[in-house]
Amino acid sequence: ITMIAFLAAIGLPGFAGFIAELLMLLGVFQSSSSAGLLPTWMGLAGAMGMLLNATYFVWTMQRMFWGRFSLRFTSWQPALQDLHAREYSLFVPLIILILALGIFPHLLLDVFKDAVSHFVTTVHQIGKENLKLITRYR
């Protein structure tokens, strides 16, 4: 379960994190090429951050699951247990949701489409009005 959560956080295709990272990068590079609102270096910095994030998570997974087992306090070892049915009943629906939103992102994106479109239109109109005010006083 931890490994599935890590792979989703990395943004592997098929998990919900992939769609979020993809839409963010597409938005930054589209904005820099069409409107010039965001510079291209911001998209490159975001992509570099995603790469560093993936590297860190893979390194952490390697140390957690395939590294040498050691505890700071050996008295903790008897308390370590596998997950019980109660924990599985909590985590399995979350895993199903992560996979479902990764494979079928339109289930969530369609819900927010109208609100996001209205927000972008409003910000664009207010930005134009403020730009006119700023250029008037130059």
Side-chain angles (χ1 to χ4, degrees):
I1 289 176
T2 303
M3 190 152 39
I4 290 173
F6 273 22
L7 294 175
I10 287 173
L12 240 55
F15 293 99
F18 173 73
I19 299 302
E21 289 182 358
L22 178 70
L23 289 176
M24 190 271 309
L25 282 179
L26 288 175
V28 169
F29 286 119
Q30 183 181 6
S31 174
S32 66
S33 66
S34 64
L37 297 175
L38 295 174
T40 305
W41 68 264
M42 285 188 178
L44 295 173
M48 182 60 76
M50 289 176 195
L51 182 65
L52 288 173
N53 178 40
T55 304
Y56 174 73
F57 273 114
V58 169
W59 177 76
T60 303
M61 271 194 304
Q62 185 267 330
R63 291 187 55 139
M64 284 177 66
F65 297 115
W66 297 286
R68 185 176 54 88
F69 179 76
S70 65
L71 287 173
R72 176 179 275 177
F73 303 108
T74 56
S75 62
W76 291 357
Q77 189 162 357
L80 297 176
Q81 299 176 1
D82 285 336
L83 295 177
H84 296 291
R86 181 178 55 196
E87 286 96 4
Y88 278 113
S89 69
L90 292 172
F91 285 124
V92 168
L94 289 173
I95 291 171
I96 291 171
L97 186 63
I98 288 170
L99 290 172
L101 291 177
I103 297 170
F104 305 109
H106 62 86
L107 295 173
L108 192 61
L109 293 176
D110 289 346
V111 172
F112 294 112
K113 183 173 36 176
D114 294 333
V116 170
S117 177
H118 176 70
F119 176 74
V120 168
T121 304
T122 304
V123 168
H124 187 68
Q125 289 172 350
I126 292 172
K128 277 186 175 179
E129 294 168 6
N130 287 339
L131 186 62
K132 288 178 186 175
L133 288 173
I134 291 170
T135 54
R136 183 185 310 164
Y137 293 116
R138 280 189 164 183

